[in-house]
Amino acid sequence: MTRLVLEPLSTYRSYPSEEMIARAQAFYEDIRRRRTVRDFSDKPVPREVIEYALLAAGTAPSGANLQPWHFTVITDPDTKRRIREEAEAEERDFYNGRAPQEWLDALAPLGTDEHKGFLETAPVLIAIFGQRSSEGPDGRKVKNYYVPESVGIATGFLIASLHAAGLVTLTHTPSPMGFLNEICGRPETEKPYILLVVGYPAEGCTVPVHGGIKKPLEKIASWL
């Protein structure tokens, strides 16, 4: 067992109350501009932008700090085509019988269907996997804890970082997604959670009005 070792919290920064409020408001005003996009340009994205965004995702908190995630970045056109073919096969089943009508009704204002051309058009796809186990410092296999929660937080960091860099994203979740393990060469011990589509918006890009309607504070939070 690894023993507890502590170090000073040297990275913390304190701000006056007024600056805290201003910084919180500035972040909100910027992140509220984020929209899910389905019309992508094929303009290439600098690799270094993706690398820094992934490093930011890797700073997310995780169960026992085991960091149970893996990000596979896909830019190869042939691989993106294979992913599109597999994803659209699953989506056809979803939209034509597998999904309950209530779910389809909820999706209707977003205009989604089984056609996923953005998987080939967008310059970058990031397949996000959760790892059921990791290799410990001594080389032994150790179980990971709170994997869905940890991966979800890291994905949020990733999306916010890409938005801050000036890119747009789409969280795509065809179900099931087991085909990503084979295409990305990932082991069965990893579960694909999200296929994140990344790039620039296409010229004249439009987004559903419904997607921009967010619940007010009193609907999402309460004070006790």
Side-chain angles (χ1 to χ4, degrees), residues 23 31 43 55 72 77 90 93 121 132 152 155 159 167-168 192:
R23 291 172 69 91
I31 201 68
K43 178 182 176 181
L55 287 170
T72 298
E90 297 296 349
D93 289 344
T121 305
R132 298 185 181 93
T155 300
I159 291 171
L167 298 174
V168 294

Side-chain angles (χ1 to χ4, degrees), residues 95-111:
Y95 282 97
N96 295 286
R98 196 166 70 220
Q101 189 58 47
E102 185 178 20
W103 195 345
L104 295 176
D105 291 343
L107 290 171
L110 297 174

